Amino acid sequence: MNDFAGIRALVTGGASGIGRATADLLADRGAQVAVLDLDPSGVDKPLLAFRADVTDDASVRAAVTDAADALGGLDVLVNNAGIGAQGTVEDNDDEEWRRVFDVNVLGLVRTARAALPHLRSSSHAAIVNTCSVAATAGLPQRALYSASKGAVYSLTLAMAADHVREGIRVTCVNPGTVDTPWVGRLLDAAPDPAAERAALQARQPTGRLVTAAEVAGAIAYLASPLSGATTGTALAVDGGMQGL
Ligand code: NAI
């Protein structure tokens, strides 16, 4: 399949997990792809790699400008960089709240702000945000993380409304638990990793974790002209977690 030929894409958090699977899939399907990441050292050709911290506005601006220059413009932005947090509202202090919102919410805003002038010049511009089932389901022990992804969901709707007349579509994917290095770290830190994995699998009616490739496929669909009539909405990739 070469349906992304001529498309120039930037994927934040593209060095690992969902972001890496997305960057690889878009490149396999013919796109020119740049990755923006805190640590892009493991990213290799044909992907272009740019080091930036989404909590640092200057580094985001520089990386987005460099990526757009290297690609000759931008058609697709995948806002995927994110971090997790566990606990109830009693467990996370103000500093943790600021840190997670700085990455998951403001990070997305900074990247979008830097990318929008480039996307406006594209004839098929799309922004796809990696949100989460946590945005719309009440999950225990995820108060801070859920709130940050709730903001990502609201931003998806607001940005879709703001930019629809400019021809820029804005959507998000809402994954359930995805088998990525992030979840690997979560399991490693659990007292009984096997029991924790079984509990995460049991949360999803399909009885298994989502794969990064499955989320990448949904992002690719939302970034492609096949979803040209779709904006301001979320696509669940959660093993039936919310719908069933
Ligand atoms: P991951 O930890 O495997 O990859 C995240 C990438 O983001 C890493 O390469 C990391 O270096 C980069 N990153 C983190 N902070 C950054 C910063 N300040 N600036 C630039 N890059 C930064 O994680 P995974 O699982 O692939 O998650 C990606 C996205 O998917 C996140 O937004 C997460 O909230 C979301 N998600 C993940 C789920 C899961 O179960 N793994 C479920 C639902 C959503």
Side-chain angles (χ1 to χ4, degrees), residues 43-80:
V43 175
D44 40 23
K45 282 189 173 148
L47 306 178
L48 302 177
F50 297 89
R51 186 182 303 274
D53 182 343
V54 297
T55 67
D56 174 359
D57 195 44
S59 87
V60 170
R61 282 177 185 281
V64 171
T65 302
D66 289 349
D69 284 352
L71 298 172
L74 270 187
D75 305 290
V76 169
L77 169 64
V78 181
N79 276 313
N80 167 80

PDB file of all heavy atoms in Angstrom, residues 43-80:
ATOM      1  N   VAL A  43      16.028   5.980  16.762  1.00  0.00           N
ATOM      2  CA  VAL A  43      15.218   6.156  15.546  1.00  0.00           C
ATOM      3  C   VAL A  43      16.141   6.137  14.328  1.00  0.00           C
ATOM      4  O   VAL A  43      17.119   6.889  14.281  1.00  0.00           O
ATOM      5  CB  VAL A  43      14.447   7.495  15.604  1.00  0.00           C
ATOM      6  CG1 VAL A  43      13.699   7.747  14.302  1.00  0.00           C
ATOM      7  CG2 VAL A  43      13.494   7.492  16.789  1.00  0.00           C
ATOM      8  N   ASP A  44      15.840   5.261  13.359  1.00  0.00           N
ATOM      9  CA  ASP A  44      16.730   5.204  12.201  1.00  0.00           C
ATOM     10  C   ASP A  44      15.972   5.367  10.894  1.00  0.00           C
ATOM     11  O   ASP A  44      14.749   5.447  10.872  1.00  0.00           O
ATOM     12  CB  ASP A  44      17.559   3.908  12.211  1.00  0.00           C
ATOM     13  CG  ASP A  44      16.729   2.724  12.661  1.00  0.00           C
ATOM     14  OD1 ASP A  44      15.493   2.803  12.526  1.00  0.00           O
ATOM     15  OD2 ASP A  44      17.292   1.733  13.148  1.00  0.00           O
ATOM     16  N   LYS A  45      16.713   5.406   9.805  1.00  0.00           N
ATOM     17  CA  LYS A  45      16.158   5.656   8.477  1.00  0.00           C
ATOM     18  C   LYS A  45      15.113   4.619   8.103  1.00  0.00           C
ATOM     19  O   LYS A  45      15.251   3.479   8.523  1.00  0.00           O
ATOM     20  CB  LYS A  45      17.287   5.642   7.441  1.00  0.00           C
ATOM     21  CG  LYS A  45      18.064   6.942   7.482  1.00  0.00           C
ATOM     22  CD  LYS A  45      19.021   7.019   6.317  1.00  0.00           C
ATOM     23  CE  LYS A  45      19.633   8.399   6.296  1.00  0.00           C
ATOM     24  NZ  LYS A  45      20.981   8.486   5.797  1.00  0.00           N
ATOM     25  N   PRO A  46      14.086   4.984   7.362  1.00  0.00           N
ATOM     26  CA  PRO A  46      13.926   6.258   6.663  1.00  0.00           C
ATOM     27  C   PRO A  46      13.362   7.381   7.535  1.00  0.00           C
ATOM     28  O   PRO A  46      13.107   8.471   7.027  1.00  0.00           O
ATOM     29  CB  PRO A  46      12.946   5.915   5.544  1.00  0.00           C
ATOM     30  CG  PRO A  46      12.055   4.879   6.157  1.00  0.00           C
ATOM     31  CD  PRO A  46      12.953   4.063   7.061  1.00  0.00           C
ATOM     32  N   LEU A  47      13.122   7.133   8.841  1.00  0.00           N
ATOM     33  CA  LEU A  47      12.543   8.177   9.683  1.00  0.00           C
ATOM     34  C   LEU A  47      13.584   9.260   9.953  1.00  0.00           C
ATOM     35  O   LEU A  47      14.770   8.966  10.143  1.00  0.00           O
ATOM     36  CB  LEU A  47      12.077   7.590  11.029  1.00  0.00           C
ATOM     37  CG  LEU A  47      11.120   6.401  10.967  1.00  0.00           C
ATOM     38  CD1 LEU A  47      10.800   5.901  12.371  1.00  0.00           C
ATOM     39  CD2 LEU A  47       9.844   6.787  10.233  1.00  0.00           C
ATOM     40  N   LEU A  48      13.134  10.523   9.983  1.00  0.00           N
ATOM     41  CA  LEU A  48      13.998  11.621  10.401  1.00  0.00           C
ATOM     42  C   LEU A  48      13.765  11.829  11.893  1.00  0.00           C
ATOM     43  O   LEU A  48      12.634  11.714  12.364  1.00  0.00           O
ATOM     44  CB  LEU A  48      13.640  12.912   9.651  1.00  0.00           C
ATOM     45  CG  LEU A  48      13.726  12.854   8.128  1.00  0.00           C
ATOM     46  CD1 LEU A  48      13.275  14.183   7.532  1.00  0.00           C
ATOM     47  CD2 LEU A  48      15.153  12.544   7.705  1.00  0.00           C
ATOM     48  N   ALA A  49      14.822  12.146  12.632  1.00  0.00           N
ATOM     49  CA  ALA A  49      14.680  12.256  14.090  1.00  0.00           C
ATOM     50  C   ALA A  49      15.049  13.655  14.565  1.00  0.00           C
ATOM     51  O   ALA A  49      16.072  14.214  14.146  1.00  0.00           O
ATOM     52  CB  ALA A  49      15.582  11.230  14.760  1.00  0.00           C
ATOM     53  N   PHE A  50      14.207  14.212  15.430  1.00  0.00           N
ATOM     54  CA  PHE A  50      14.457  15.531  16.016  1.00  0.00           C
ATOM     55  C   PHE A  50      14.280  15.434  17.524  1.00  0.00           C
ATOM     56  O   PHE A  50      13.243  14.961  18.008  1.00  0.00           O
ATOM     57  CB  PHE A  50      13.507  16.573  15.417  1.00  0.00           C
ATOM     58  CG  PHE A  50      13.731  16.753  13.946  1.00  0.00           C
ATOM     59  CD1 PHE A  50      13.044  15.964  13.033  1.00  0.00           C
ATOM     60  CD2 PHE A  50      14.674  17.650  13.484  1.00  0.00           C
ATOM     61  CE1 PHE A  50      13.276  16.084  11.665  1.00  0.00           C
ATOM     62  CE2 PHE A  50      14.923  17.776  12.124  1.00  0.00           C
ATOM     63  CZ  PHE A  50      14.217  17.001  11.214  1.00  0.00           C
ATOM     64  N   ARG A  51      15.288  15.903  18.241  1.00  0.00           N
ATOM     65  CA  ARG A  51      15.231  15.861  19.708  1.00  0.00           C
ATOM     66  C   ARG A  51      14.523  17.110  20.215  1.00  0.00           C
ATOM     67  O   ARG A  51      14.893  18.237  19.860  1.00  0.00           O
ATOM     68  CB  ARG A  51      16.648  15.813  20.277  1.00  0.00           C
ATOM     69  CG  ARG A  51      16.712  15.611  21.781  1.00  0.00           C
ATOM     70  CD  ARG A  51      18.166  15.628  22.260  1.00  0.00           C
ATOM     71  NE  ARG A  51      18.976  14.616  21.591  1.00  0.00           N
ATOM     72  CZ  ARG A  51      19.075  13.353  21.992  1.00  0.00           C
ATOM     73  NH1 ARG A  51      18.442  12.951  23.069  1.00  0.00           N
ATOM     74  NH2 ARG A  51      19.808  12.486  21.330  1.00  0.00           N
ATOM     75  N   ALA A  52      13.497  16.927  21.041  1.00  0.00           N
ATOM     76  CA  ALA A  52      12.821  18.073  21.664  1.00  0.00           C
ATOM     77  C   ALA A  52      12.056  17.576  22.878  1.00  0.00           C
ATOM     78  O   ALA A  52      11.677  16.400  22.957  1.00  0.00           O
ATOM     79  CB  ALA A  52      11.853  18.743  20.686  1.00  0.00           C
ATOM     80  N   ASP A  53      11.852  18.479  23.811  1.00  0.00           N
ATOM     81  CA  ASP A  53      11.038  18.201  24.996  1.00  0.00           C
ATOM     82  C   ASP A  53       9.752  19.004  24.841  1.00  0.00           C
ATOM     83  O   ASP A  53       9.805  20.237  24.751  1.00  0.00           O
ATOM     84  CB  ASP A  53      11.827  18.647  26.244  1.00  0.00           C
ATOM     85  CG  ASP A  53      11.082  18.365  27.537  1.00  0.00           C
ATOM     86  OD1 ASP A  53       9.860  18.136  27.500  1.00  0.00           O
ATOM     87  OD2 ASP A  53      11.741  18.400  28.590  1.00  0.00           O
ATOM     88  N   VAL A  54       8.616  18.321  24.812  1.00  0.00           N
ATOM     89  CA  VAL A  54       7.356  19.057  24.563  1.00  0.00           C
ATOM     90  C   VAL A  54       6.998  20.011  25.702  1.00  0.00           C
ATOM     91  O   VAL A  54       6.072  20.806  25.571  1.00  0.00           O
ATOM     92  CB  VAL A  54       6.168  18.111  24.246  1.00  0.00           C
ATOM     93  CG1 VAL A  54       6.414  17.329  22.966  1.00  0.00           C
ATOM     94  CG2 VAL A  54       5.827  17.204  25.410  1.00  0.00           C
ATOM     95  N   THR A  55       7.728  19.943  26.820  1.00  0.00           N
ATOM     96  CA  THR A  55       7.481  20.912  27.890  1.00  0.00           C
ATOM     97  C   THR A  55       8.309  22.193  27.686  1.00  0.00           C
ATOM     98  O   THR A  55       8.191  23.128  28.472  1.00  0.00           O
ATOM     99  CB  THR A  55       7.814  20.338  29.292  1.00  0.00           C
ATOM    100  OG1 THR A  55       9.226  20.126  29.390  1.00  0.00           O
ATOM    101  CG2 THR A  55       7.071  19.052  29.550  1.00  0.00           C
ATOM    102  N   ASP A  56       9.129  22.227  26.653  1.00  0.00           N
ATOM    103  CA  ASP A  56      10.001  23.379  26.403  1.00  0.00           C
ATOM    104  C   ASP A  56       9.604  24.003  25.066  1.00  0.00           C
ATOM    105  O   ASP A  56       9.907  23.461  23.995  1.00  0.00           O
ATOM    106  CB  ASP A  56      11.454  22.882  26.388  1.00  0.00           C
ATOM    107  CG  ASP A  56      12.439  23.966  26.002  1.00  0.00           C
ATOM    108  OD1 ASP A  56      12.015  25.110  25.713  1.00  0.00           O
ATOM    109  OD2 ASP A  56      13.640  23.659  25.967  1.00  0.00           O
ATOM    110  N   ASP A  57       8.922  25.144  25.136  1.00  0.00           N
ATOM    111  CA  ASP A  57       8.348  25.740  23.928  1.00  0.00           C
ATOM    112  C   ASP A  57       9.412  26.020  22.866  1.00  0.00           C
ATOM    113  O   ASP A  57       9.184  25.772  21.673  1.00  0.00           O
ATOM    114  CB  ASP A  57       7.614  27.035  24.300  1.00  0.00           C
ATOM    115  CG  ASP A  57       6.695  27.504  23.184  1.00  0.00           C
ATOM    116  OD1 ASP A  57       5.974  26.666  22.612  1.00  0.00           O
ATOM    117  OD2 ASP A  57       6.719  28.705  22.857  1.00  0.00           O
ATOM    118  N   ALA A  58      10.567  26.523  23.295  1.00  0.00           N
ATOM    119  CA  ALA A  58      11.607  26.871  22.313  1.00  0.00           C
ATOM    120  C   ALA A  58      12.101  25.621  21.581  1.00  0.00           C
ATOM    121  O   ALA A  58      12.309  25.642  20.361  1.00  0.00           O
ATOM    122  CB  ALA A  58      12.769  27.575  23.009  1.00  0.00           C
ATOM    123  N   SER A  59      12.264  24.519  22.322  1.00  0.00           N
ATOM    124  CA  SER A  59      12.768  23.307  21.667  1.00  0.00           C
ATOM    125  C   SER A  59      11.707  22.722  20.731  1.00  0.00           C
ATOM    126  O   SER A  59      12.028  22.183  19.672  1.00  0.00           O
ATOM    127  CB  SER A  59      13.270  22.282  22.687  1.00  0.00           C
ATOM    128  OG  SER A  59      12.249  21.440  23.166  1.00  0.00           O
ATOM    129  N   VAL A  60      10.439  22.855  21.085  1.00  0.00           N
ATOM    130  CA  VAL A  60       9.367  22.375  20.197  1.00  0.00           C
ATOM    131  C   VAL A  60       9.345  23.198  18.909  1.00  0.00           C
ATOM    132  O   VAL A  60       9.291  22.659  17.797  1.00  0.00           O
ATOM    133  CB  VAL A  60       7.994  22.450  20.905  1.00  0.00           C
ATOM    134  CG1 VAL A  60       6.858  22.188  19.929  1.00  0.00           C
ATOM    135  CG2 VAL A  60       7.937  21.460  22.062  1.00  0.00           C
ATOM    136  N   ARG A  61       9.403  24.533  19.068  1.00  0.00           N
ATOM    137  CA  ARG A  61       9.382  25.398  17.878  1.00  0.00           C
ATOM    138  C   ARG A  61      10.541  25.080  16.941  1.00  0.00           C
ATOM    139  O   ARG A  61      10.368  24.974  15.723  1.00  0.00           O
ATOM    140  CB  ARG A  61       9.483  26.871  18.289  1.00  0.00           C
ATOM    141  CG  ARG A  61       8.188  27.423  18.792  1.00  0.00           C
ATOM    142  CD  ARG A  61       8.342  28.872  19.266  1.00  0.00           C
ATOM    143  NE  ARG A  61       7.104  29.310  19.835  1.00  0.00           N
ATOM    144  CZ  ARG A  61       6.056  29.693  19.124  1.00  0.00           C
ATOM    145  NH1 ARG A  61       6.133  29.719  17.807  1.00  0.00           N
ATOM    146  NH2 ARG A  61       4.936  30.046  19.715  1.00  0.00           N
ATOM    147  N   ALA A  62      11.722  24.911  17.535  1.00  0.00           N
ATOM    148  CA  ALA A  62      12.901  24.633  16.711  1.00  0.00           C
ATOM    149  C   ALA A  62      12.758  23.294  15.996  1.00  0.00           C
ATOM    150  O   ALA A  62      13.026  23.186  14.789  1.00  0.00           O
ATOM    151  CB  ALA A  62      14.151  24.639  17.587  1.00  0.00           C
ATOM    152  N   ALA A  63      12.297  22.267  16.725  1.00  0.00           N
ATOM    153  CA  ALA A  63      12.190  20.927  16.119  1.00  0.00           C
ATOM    154  C   ALA A  63      11.116  20.901  15.034  1.00  0.00           C
ATOM    155  O   ALA A  63      11.305  20.284  13.979  1.00  0.00           O
ATOM    156  CB  ALA A  63      11.885  19.882  17.189  1.00  0.00           C
ATOM    157  N   VAL A  64       9.983  21.575  15.269  1.00  0.00           N
ATOM    158  CA  VAL A  64       8.913  21.570  14.261  1.00  0.00           C
ATOM    159  C   VAL A  64       9.374  22.329  13.010  1.00  0.00           C
ATOM    160  O   VAL A  64       9.153  21.877  11.877  1.00  0.00           O
ATOM    161  CB  VAL A  64       7.609  22.170  14.836  1.00  0.00           C
ATOM    162  CG1 VAL A  64       6.561  22.368  13.743  1.00  0.00           C
ATOM    163  CG2 VAL A  64       7.055  21.260  15.940  1.00  0.00           C
ATOM    164  N   THR A  65      10.059  23.453  13.202  1.00  0.00           N
ATOM    165  CA  THR A  65      10.576  24.203  12.054  1.00  0.00           C
ATOM    166  C   THR A  65      11.588  23.360  11.280  1.00  0.00           C
ATOM    167  O   THR A  65      11.523  23.268  10.045  1.00  0.00           O
ATOM    168  CB  THR A  65      11.253  25.513  12.530  1.00  0.00           C
ATOM    169  OG1 THR A  65      10.284  26.261  13.251  1.00  0.00           O
ATOM    170  CG2 THR A  65      11.775  26.333  11.368  1.00  0.00           C
ATOM    171  N   ASP A  66      12.504  22.722  12.018  1.00  0.00           N
ATOM    172  CA  ASP A  66      13.523  21.897  11.348  1.00  0.00           C
ATOM    173  C   ASP A  66      12.876  20.726  10.605  1.00  0.00           C
ATOM    174  O   ASP A  66      13.276  20.384   9.492  1.00  0.00           O
ATOM    175  CB  ASP A  66      14.531  21.350  12.378  1.00  0.00           C
ATOM    176  CG  ASP A  66      15.431  22.451  12.923  1.00  0.00           C
ATOM    177  OD1 ASP A  66      15.421  23.576  12.372  1.00  0.00           O
ATOM    178  OD2 ASP A  66      16.130  22.189  13.927  1.00  0.00           O
ATOM    179  N   ALA A  67      11.855  20.101  11.240  1.00  0.00           N
ATOM    180  CA  ALA A  67      11.183  18.962  10.597  1.00  0.00           C
ATOM    181  C   ALA A  67      10.455  19.419   9.333  1.00  0.00           C
ATOM    182  O   ALA A  67      10.553  18.773   8.278  1.00  0.00           O
ATOM    183  CB  ALA A  67      10.209  18.314  11.572  1.00  0.00           C
ATOM    184  N   ALA A  68       9.724  20.544   9.426  1.00  0.00           N
ATOM    185  CA  ALA A  68       8.982  21.035   8.253  1.00  0.00           C
ATOM    186  C   ALA A  68       9.949  21.420   7.141  1.00  0.00           C
ATOM    187  O   ALA A  68       9.677  21.174   5.952  1.00  0.00           O
ATOM    188  CB  ALA A  68       8.097  22.213   8.648  1.00  0.00           C
ATOM    189  N   ASP A  69      11.097  22.007   7.502  1.00  0.00           N
ATOM    190  CA  ASP A  69      12.098  22.353   6.482  1.00  0.00           C
ATOM    191  C   ASP A  69      12.631  21.095   5.812  1.00  0.00           C
ATOM    192  O   ASP A  69      12.747  21.020   4.585  1.00  0.00           O
ATOM    193  CB  ASP A  69      13.284  23.103   7.117  1.00  0.00           C
ATOM    194  CG  ASP A  69      12.928  24.550   7.435  1.00  0.00           C
ATOM    195  OD1 ASP A  69      11.835  24.994   7.020  1.00  0.00           O
ATOM    196  OD2 ASP A  69      13.734  25.217   8.107  1.00  0.00           O
ATOM    197  N   ALA A  70      12.955  20.085   6.636  1.00  0.00           N
ATOM    198  CA  ALA A  70      13.536  18.855   6.089  1.00  0.00           C
ATOM    199  C   ALA A  70      12.537  18.109   5.199  1.00  0.00           C
ATOM    200  O   ALA A  70      12.923  17.507   4.194  1.00  0.00           O
ATOM    201  CB  ALA A  70      14.003  17.946   7.224  1.00  0.00           C
ATOM    202  N   LEU A  71      11.246  18.156   5.577  1.00  0.00           N
ATOM    203  CA  LEU A  71      10.222  17.426   4.815  1.00  0.00           C
ATOM    204  C   LEU A  71       9.655  18.254   3.661  1.00  0.00           C
ATOM    205  O   LEU A  71       8.934  17.735   2.815  1.00  0.00           O
ATOM    206  CB  LEU A  71       9.058  17.014   5.747  1.00  0.00           C
ATOM    207  CG  LEU A  71       9.382  16.074   6.906  1.00  0.00           C
ATOM    208  CD1 LEU A  71       8.177  15.928   7.841  1.00  0.00           C
ATOM    209  CD2 LEU A  71       9.803  14.701   6.377  1.00  0.00           C
ATOM    210  N   GLY A  72       9.917  19.553   3.682  1.00  0.00           N
ATOM    211  CA  GLY A  72       9.338  20.439   2.664  1.00  0.00           C
ATOM    212  C   GLY A  72       7.904  20.800   2.965  1.00  0.00           C
ATOM    213  O   GLY A  72       7.124  21.144   2.069  1.00  0.00           O
ATOM    214  N   GLY A  73       7.506  20.750   4.230  1.00  0.00           N
ATOM    215  CA  GLY A  73       6.137  21.106   4.648  1.00  0.00           C
ATOM    216  C   GLY A  73       5.606  20.044   5.592  1.00  0.00           C
ATOM    217  O   GLY A  73       6.324  19.105   5.961  1.00  0.00           O
ATOM    218  N   LEU A  74       4.351  20.225   5.992  1.00  0.00           N
ATOM    219  CA  LEU A  74       3.717  19.265   6.912  1.00  0.00           C
ATOM    220  C   LEU A  74       2.259  19.058   6.520  1.00  0.00           C
ATOM    221  O   LEU A  74       1.533  20.028   6.296  1.00  0.00           O
ATOM    222  CB  LEU A  74       3.715  19.815   8.342  1.00  0.00           C
ATOM    223  CG  LEU A  74       4.864  19.539   9.300  1.00  0.00           C
ATOM    224  CD1 LEU A  74       4.487  20.059  10.674  1.00  0.00           C
ATOM    225  CD2 LEU A  74       5.206  18.059   9.339  1.00  0.00           C
ATOM    226  N   ASP A  75       1.845  17.804   6.447  1.00  0.00           N
ATOM    227  CA  ASP A  75       0.434  17.482   6.190  1.00  0.00           C
ATOM    228  C   ASP A  75      -0.233  16.855   7.413  1.00  0.00           C
ATOM    229  O   ASP A  75      -1.428  17.035   7.619  1.00  0.00           O
ATOM    230  CB  ASP A  75       0.330  16.488   5.016  1.00  0.00           C
ATOM    231  CG  ASP A  75       1.027  17.002   3.774  1.00  0.00           C
ATOM    232  OD1 ASP A  75       0.514  17.957   3.173  1.00  0.00           O
ATOM    233  OD2 ASP A  75       2.101  16.467   3.434  1.00  0.00           O
ATOM    234  N   VAL A  76       0.541  16.101   8.162  1.00  0.00           N
ATOM    235  CA  VAL A  76      -0.021  15.323   9.275  1.00  0.00           C
ATOM    236  C   VAL A  76       0.791  15.561  10.543  1.00  0.00           C
ATOM    237  O   VAL A  76       2.023  15.484  10.516  1.00  0.00           O
ATOM    238  CB  VAL A  76      -0.005  13.803   8.932  1.00  0.00           C
ATOM    239  CG1 VAL A  76      -0.326  12.970  10.157  1.00  0.00           C
ATOM    240  CG2 VAL A  76      -0.977  13.507   7.795  1.00  0.00           C
ATOM    241  N   LEU A  77       0.084  15.860  11.625  1.00  0.00           N
ATOM    242  CA  LEU A  77       0.727  15.942  12.943  1.00  0.00           C
ATOM    243  C   LEU A  77       0.074  14.901  13.849  1.00  0.00           C
ATOM    244  O   LEU A  77      -1.154  14.912  14.027  1.00  0.00           O
ATOM    245  CB  LEU A  77       0.524  17.343  13.548  1.00  0.00           C
ATOM    246  CG  LEU A  77       0.921  17.469  15.024  1.00  0.00           C
ATOM    247  CD1 LEU A  77       2.416  17.250  15.225  1.00  0.00           C
ATOM    248  CD2 LEU A  77       0.512  18.845  15.575  1.00  0.00           C
ATOM    249  N   VAL A  78       0.881  14.021  14.416  1.00  0.00           N
ATOM    250  CA  VAL A  78       0.371  13.061  15.396  1.00  0.00           C
ATOM    251  C   VAL A  78       0.909  13.487  16.763  1.00  0.00           C
ATOM    252  O   VAL A  78       2.108  13.391  17.035  1.00  0.00           O
ATOM    253  CB  VAL A  78       0.813  11.611  15.061  1.00  0.00           C
ATOM    254  CG1 VAL A  78       0.242  10.647  16.095  1.00  0.00           C
ATOM    255  CG2 VAL A  78       0.364  11.234  13.652  1.00  0.00           C
ATOM    256  N   ASN A  79       0.010  14.008  17.590  1.00  0.00           N
ATOM    257  CA  ASN A  79       0.372  14.452  18.940  1.00  0.00           C
ATOM    258  C   ASN A  79       0.270  13.264  19.877  1.00  0.00           C
ATOM    259  O   ASN A  79      -0.810  12.944  20.375  1.00  0.00           O
ATOM    260  CB  ASN A  79      -0.607  15.538  19.411  1.00  0.00           C
ATOM    261  CG  ASN A  79      -0.221  16.906  18.922  1.00  0.00           C
ATOM    262  OD1 ASN A  79       0.937  17.307  19.011  1.00  0.00           O
ATOM    263  ND2 ASN A  79      -1.189  17.630  18.403  1.00  0.00           N
ATOM    264  N   ASN A  80       1.378  12.616  20.107  1.00  0.00           N
ATOM    265  CA  ASN A  80       1.344  11.328  20.821  1.00  0.00           C
ATOM    266  C   ASN A  80       2.179  11.300  22.095  1.00  0.00           C
ATOM    267  O   ASN A  80       1.939  10.473  22.979  1.00  0.00           O
ATOM    268  CB  ASN A  80       1.814  10.238  19.833  1.00  0.00           C
ATOM    269  CG  ASN A  80       2.121   8.934  20.501  1.00  0.00           C
ATOM    270  OD1 ASN A  80       1.210   8.164  20.802  1.00  0.00           O
ATOM    271  ND2 ASN A  80       3.394   8.680  20.768  1.00  0.00           N
TER     272      ASN A  80
END
